[in-house]
Amino acid sequence: MRIVDDYNNPSIEENNRYPALVVTKGIDIGPLPEDNPNEENSRLAKEIHQYKEAVVKQSLNNILTYGSNTHEILALTHILLLKQTHVTIQSETMSEGVLNKTYNDFKDKLELKNTVNPRLLHI
């Protein structure tokens, strides 16, 4: 099964009975972010953009499956999914320091909120 719109946008098809993302042309991930006065934020934005560029290149050569490429598919929707251990393409395009700091910053913020509201989940 394959779903494609008239503009050749990414489509969903089944690959070995699992949903998969197929890119027939390209995906517009927007321009490279402009410099930000906050150097850490600027570096993070640029590295995320490089990661998304690498995902687009990968998607043109391979089908992205929801089971194996969740991080990459989310990146194409401007969502950065981070875990303690990073997927290969993240590690290849983003520095380990930026990945770890971003992960730890979000984790610390969630844990701080959880002390105020115990209904929030730990990651």
Side-chain angles (χ1 to χ4, degrees):
M1 176 180 81
R2 185 171 184 177
I3 303 169
V4 181
D5 67 17
D6 292 337
Y7 303 102
N8 289 319
N9 285 324
S11 63
I12 305 298
E13 73 175 43
E14 288 185 15
N15 182 20
N16 296 331
R17 300 177 61 186
Y18 293 100
L21 180 72
V22 177
V23 179
T24 54
K25 269 192 176 177
I27 296 175
D28 182 11
I29 59 170
L32 183 67
E34 294 181 16
D35 285 333
N36 184 311
N38 181 323
E39 192 173 316
E40 276 185 24
N41 288 348
S42 184
R43 182 174 177 191
L44 174 62
K46 287 179 180 180
E47 288 191 16
I48 289 173
H49 189 80
Q50 291 170 347
Y51 170 52
K52 290 191 293 187
E53 286 176 335
V55 170
V56 168
K57 287 178 186 173
Q58 178 185 355
S59 70
L60 293 173
N61 298 323
N62 302 300
I63 292 176
L64 301 178
T65 62
Y66 287 99
S68 301
N69 305 104
T70 303
H71 289 78
E72 291 84 357
I73 292 169
L74 288 174
L76 296 176
T77 63
H78 309 292
I79 296 172
L80 179 63
L81 177 60
L82 291 175
K83 296 183 178 181
Q84 275 185 310
T85 55
H86 313 296
V87 294
T88 303
I89 196 166
Q90 283 177 337
S91 297
E92 291 172 350
T93 57
M94 300 177 71
S95 69
E96 195 72 21
V98 167
L99 288 167
N100 291 335
K101 182 171 182 352
T102 304
Y103 172 82
N104 290 326
D105 286 351
F106 279 107
K107 184 177 178 200
D108 291 347
K109 287 178 184 177
L110 285 174
E111 287 175 350
L112 180 62
K113 284 183 180 179
N114 199 20
T115 61
V116 176
N117 184 350
R119 291 184 294 172
L120 294 175
L121 298 174
H122 281 293
I123 55 173

